[in-house]
Amino acid sequence: MTALPFASFDLTGRVAVVTGASSGLGAGFARTLAAAGATVVAAARRADRLAALAAEVPGLVPVECDVTVPADRDRLVARANEIGGGIDVLVNNAGMPGPPDALGETPEEFDRILDLNLTAGVRLAVEAVRTLPDDRGASIVNISSVVGLVSTAPIGGAGYAASKAAVIGVTRELAGQWGRRGVRVNALVPGWFDTEMTDGLFTNEKSAGWVRRNTMLGRGGQDGEVDGALLFLASDASSYVTGHVLAVDGGWTAR
Ligand SMILES: NC(=O)c1ccc[n+]([C@@H]2O[C@H](COP(=O)([O-])OP(=O)(O)OC[C@H]3O[C@@H](n4cnc5c(N)ncnc54)[C@H](OP(=O)(O)O)[C@@H]3O)[C@@H](O)[C@H]2O)c1
């Protein structure tokens, strides 16, 4: 009898780094990867939030870190390498939105969004792979957005769209560069989820209605609905998947 392939989702013995783990989707990713057996290194700036997560998730390693600061990134990679001799899973999730109107977005704001949403994740991926033993593969999951695939004006933003579209481009490029050394790189595209970042979107009837009307499933994403896809991409369940862009958006981008 063919065995069900649940074992390929098991992350026992793996080290997983999740950035932006102090709230929202990232906290869910950290819980999910830990539940699948990984030692999770959870990074963000708010140490109190990380400490609360560590109290809830056995074995979770909190690392206070601003991913836009090179020395913090080096410290994060070094801490994760100390635990398992290499990073098996890197989830580049830390991110922020910007002003929705390009006419009101300063060049400095635009650069700050790209620095966090794009550059920090690329630098972390490069450091993780640079320090990975040659005989060891890894899975990198970059969190993009529907805003990186289609216009969502009047909600979205030029800097945010540029950063999230670029995340998809660099995902494919790095997948091409690193495939033969066993490093897979994929992008996850969440639709609309109720988090600190989307504060007000679901409580305001006008914007909540806009989400419902434009989503094939007629609603925003609920807690946990993106975690299965994250686990799939992080684990051996997706061992033949790389350079892929997986939308978990209730059909938003399929319209
Ligand atoms: N919610 C949605 O509908 C949605 C849709 C598509 C894509 N996304 C993407 O999903 C990711 C998570 O967003 P979310 O919705 O979960 O929002 P969130 O709750 O606001 O989470 C953002 C996370 O990023 C962290 N962060 C921000 N700046 C950082 C920095 N300089 N260094 C380290 N960590 C930093 C924050 O932690 P600290 O403040 O503690 O540093 C926080 O944990 C983002 O990349 C976002 O673009 C979200």
Side-chain angles (χ1 to χ4, degrees):
M1 199 171 81
T2 309
L4 289 171
F6 297 142
S8 61
F9 289 91
D10 187 0
L11 295 176
T12 302
R14 310 266 171 101
V15 175
V17 173
V18 180
T19 69
S22 59
S23 61
L25 303 185
F29 296 156
R31 290 188 186 97
T32 298
L33 297 176
T39 300
V40 174
V41 180
R45 295 166 304 176
R46 286 172 294 179
D48 55 333
R49 295 288 200 94
L50 293 178
L53 190 63
E56 177 202 321
V57 178
L60 183 135
V61 180
V63 176
E64 186 179 342
C65 168
D66 182 336
V67 293
T68 64
V69 175
D72 278 20
R73 290 196 296 263
D74 290 348
R75 205 166 36 78
L76 174 61
V77 172
R79 182 72 187 96
N81 283 338
E82 226 173 71
I83 295 166
I87 295 173
D88 301 294
V89 176
L90 170 63
V91 184
N92 280 316
N93 166 76
M96 67 173 180
D101 180 358
L103 297 175
E105 186 173 31
T106 66
E108 293 74 23
E109 282 171 323
F110 189 94
D111 288 351
R112 213 168 38 244
I113 292 164
L114 261 80
D115 199 28
L116 174 61
N117 294 4
L118 173 66
T119 311
V122 174
R123 295 324 307 168
L124 274 174
V126 167
E127 273 321 297
V129 171
R130 198 199 304 285
T131 55
L132 192 67
D134 286 342
D135 60 350
R136 193 152 154 186
S139 169
I140 298 171
V141 184
N142 295 321
I143 307 304
S144 179
S145 164
V146 291
V147 184
L149 287 173
V150 295
S151 169
T152 61
I155 294 173
Y160 190 71
S163 70
K164 292 299 183 178
V167 161
I168 290 171
V170 82
T171 293
R172 293 183 173 133
E173 172 60 21
L174 296 180
Q177 290 191 22
W178 296 338
R180 283 162 196 259
R181 57 165 301 168
V183 176
R184 299 182 296 106
V185 189
N186 292 290
L188 189 56
V189 170
W192 304 103
F193 285 80
D194 191 1
T195 65
E196 288 175 23
M197 182 176 291
T198 52
D199 186 33
L201 184 71
F202 291 94
T203 46
N204 174 312
E205 193 36 48
K206 196 171 164 211
S207 52
W210 174 80
V211 170
R212 285 196 301 272
R213 274 194 312 281
N214 290 293
T215 306
M216 286 181 178
L217 293 180
R219 59 175 177 83
Q222 287 163 2
D223 260 9
E225 282 194 307
V226 75
D227 295 343
L230 185 275
L231 178 58
F232 168 68
L233 292 178
S235 68
D236 293 347
S238 61
S239 56
Y240 200 51
V241 179
T242 198
H244 187 65
V245 179
L246 178 53
V248 182
D249 65 354
W252 183 279
T253 53
R255 283 173 305 143

